[in-house]
Amino acid sequence: MKLVRWGNKGSEKPGVVDREGRVRDLSGVLPDVAGEALGAASLDRLGAIDLAQLPLAPADARLGPCVGQVGKIVCVGLNYSDHAAESNMPVPAEPVLFFKATSSLSGPHDDVVIPPGAQKVDWEVELGVVIGKEARYVSRERALDHVAGYCIVNDVSERAWQIERGGQWDKGKSADTFAPLGPWLVTRDEIADPQALDMWLEVDGKRYQQGNTRTMIFDVATVVSYISHFMSLQPGDVISTGTPPGVGMGQKPQPVYLRAGQTMRLGVAGLGEQQQRAVASTVDTTHA
């Protein structure tokens, strides 16, 4: 299944994509694509529904983040060896973990806002993993049993704040709109192998990133197991698993960063596409 959340920001409704690519309204069936609704029993019940009996959402409905009530966004840094190289950082011996604030979540086609004072805003197409069952000290062999499905994450980053402002990556990762999520949460049964997915990203039609999840240093099962030994993972938590090479920071002979008015388009095989326009912040910080 391809689950979505549609409607105005802050009041999204649950939905499912039918075989014709139309969004069907699930609000009469479950309250949200969140929490217990992501468990195996719930997904099995949804899979048995005759989608033709569900009302259609408006054709022009906005898509919100494909998961609601996200408790935490755990990210894996430098998880592709060639990306570590372009970042001038060593290949890690263990997964590098950091967080994005949940307030950074936005819809897959919402504008990405360049914050006041930001000069080095960058892009990162990533495979997102959505937890469906609590994971605590799970083995690698059982890790995927705790996954509800997969989605696209654009791990938008302000590199100066990430790298040059005291060593806390979270500061460069957590601005509002810096975590577009979706368009769909694709349930695990539809993705035969999460380590065989092509992924790409373009800015204004120029292809910058082209990769495949098979080149991850730490695969999805390893990452889920590893994180679960440091913190419990709850239904609805999102893991962003790292990005292949081609980020703006790594461009030669000099880095390239997002400017207001540019458009990012990105995709992961089987998980759809996102598109965001970069816009300048309208916040007046003069008297903040």
Side-chain angles (χ1 to χ4, degrees):
M1 285 182 295
K2 297 178 176 67
L3 300 174
V4 301
R5 299 173 68 251
W6 61 276
N8 295 330
K9 185 176 181 179
S11 58
E12 291 93 346
K13 298 179 180 180
V16 60
V17 179
D18 66 18
R19 291 185 178 181
E20 287 72 40
R22 301 172 298 186
V23 174
R24 297 278 181 170
D25 183 7
L26 277 175
S27 57
V29 179
L30 75 165
D32 201 353
V33 181
E36 293 183 359
L38 299 171
S42 173
L43 294 179
D44 286 345
R45 287 193 296 271
L46 290 177
I49 293 174
D50 179 3
L51 300 187
Q53 301 304 310
L54 296 173
L56 287 166
D60 60 350
R62 166 189 172 269
L63 293 181
C66 60
V67 184
Q69 304 172 40
V70 176
K72 53 186 173 289
I73 309 169
V74 189
C75 303
V76 185
L78 306 176
N79 199 23
Y80 290 74
S81 57
D82 33 14
H83 172 56
E86 72 175 354
S87 302
N88 296 314
M89 296 181 183
V91 173
E94 295 187 35
V96 174
L97 303 183
F98 63 92
F99 291 93
K100 291 177 82 81
T102 55
S103 53
S104 67
L105 287 166
S106 62
H109 309 308
D110 292 345
D111 290 345
V112 166
V113 179
I114 298 176
Q119 299 294 323
K120 298 181 179 180
V121 177
D122 205 346
W123 54 81
E124 295 189 16
V125 59
E126 306 203 1
L127 172 66
V129 178
V130 179
I131 299 299
K133 181 173 71 171
E134 182 182 61
R136 182 184 287 117
Y137 305 111
V138 301
S139 67
R140 182 188 179 280
E141 291 71 26
R142 299 300 300 273
L144 295 187
D145 295 342
H146 296 260
V147 172
Y150 303 95
C151 64
I152 302 171
V153 181
N154 189 355
D155 177 19
V156 183
S157 310
E158 211 295 348
R159 299 302 190 186
W161 299 356
Q162 175 189 353
I163 299 169
E164 303 167 22
R165 297 290 297 274
Q168 295 297 316
W169 284 18
D170 304 13
K171 290 185 287 191
K173 299 284 189 172
S174 292
D176 291 356
T177 75
F178 271 24
L181 197 71
W184 318 310
L185 164 58
V186 180
T187 51
R188 182 162 53 95
D189 60 293
E190 291 200 7
I191 302 299
D193 183 0
Q195 305 308 144
L197 304 178
D198 288 329
M199 52 205 308
W200 55 271
L201 182 144
E202 299 174 350
V203 179
D204 287 348
K206 179 177 179 179
R207 182 69 56 98
Y208 281 95
Q209 291 190 275
Q210 183 76 55
N212 188 286
T213 55
R214 66 174 169 267
T215 65
M216 283 182 183
I217 299 168
F218 306 104
D219 65 14
V220 170
T222 298
V223 164
V224 172
S225 173
Y226 183 85
I227 294 171
S228 78
H229 284 74
F230 295 94
M231 67 197 81
S232 65
L233 292 166
Q234 303 298 324
D237 285 349
V238 175
I239 302 171
S240 199
T241 57
T243 198
V247 300
M249 178 176 64
Q251 298 302 306
K252 307 297 182 186
Q254 60 185 15
V256 175
Y257 295 115
L258 279 173
R259 303 185 306 275
Q262 292 187 304
T263 298
M264 292 177 284
R265 193 168 71 92
L266 55 150
V268 176
L271 304 181
E273 295 184 8
Q274 297 184 356
Q275 181 168 303
Q276 302 102 26
R277 184 172 59 109
V279 300
S281 172
T282 59
V283 174
D284 182 2
T285 61
T286 305
H287 303 292

